[in-house]
Amino acid sequence: MENEQTQVIMGLIVNGGNARSLAMKAIYAAKKGDFEEAQAYLAECNASLVQAHHAQTELLTKEAAGEKTEVSLLMVHAQDHLMNAITVKDMATEIVDLYKNK
């Protein structure tokens, strides 16, 4: 796997992991009643997801142009991080709302 592709994949992993962690922090903040902090964490989470999506889009664009992407364990791990982060963010948004309307 070429170095540039590895860097893009690592961007997916890092940003996906950061997004998931920030989503969880939003839940913890809402649990203690700090909804302003929870919303700030969700905003940071969304920013990390945007960065992860940019990395993913870069890989997809290159593959659509004929530059094949090697499907490695690292790539699978990166996609797993991203999908989990999106799921946790969606759930965190709902949980924050539940705490807020409690």
Side-chain angles (χ1 to χ4, degrees):
M1 185 181 324
E2 65 185 65
N3 191 33
E4 181 183 335
Q5 184 178 336
T6 302
Q7 288 178 342
V8 173
I9 291 169
M10 292 306 292
L12 274 170
I13 293 170
V14 168
N15 287 299
N18 286 345
R20 184 190 177 285
S21 294
L22 290 161
M24 292 303 299
K25 286 182 176 184
I27 293 171
Y28 302 143
K31 187 175 184 177
K32 66 182 184 182
D34 192 340
F35 301 108
E36 188 173 310
E37 181 179 37
Q39 289 304 319
Y41 281 131
L42 287 174
E44 286 184 68
C45 171
N46 283 325
S48 288
L49 284 175
V50 166
Q51 291 302 311
H53 278 295
H54 286 310
Q56 185 184 48
T57 300
E58 183 178 335
L59 293 170
L60 291 170
T61 301
K62 286 181 178 181
E63 187 152 329
E67 187 179 319
K68 293 295 178 192
T69 302
E70 179 184 339
V71 179
S72 64
L73 181 57
L74 194 60
M75 172 62 88
V76 171
H77 183 65
Q79 288 299 126
D80 185 49
H81 261 283
L82 179 57
M83 295 311 299
N84 280 319
I86 292 167
T87 301
V88 172
K89 190 266 306 184
D90 290 344
M91 296 303 297
T93 301
E94 293 301 316
I95 291 168
V96 167
D97 284 344
L98 284 171
Y99 276 120
K100 195 180 217 178
N101 295 318
K102 186 173 153 183

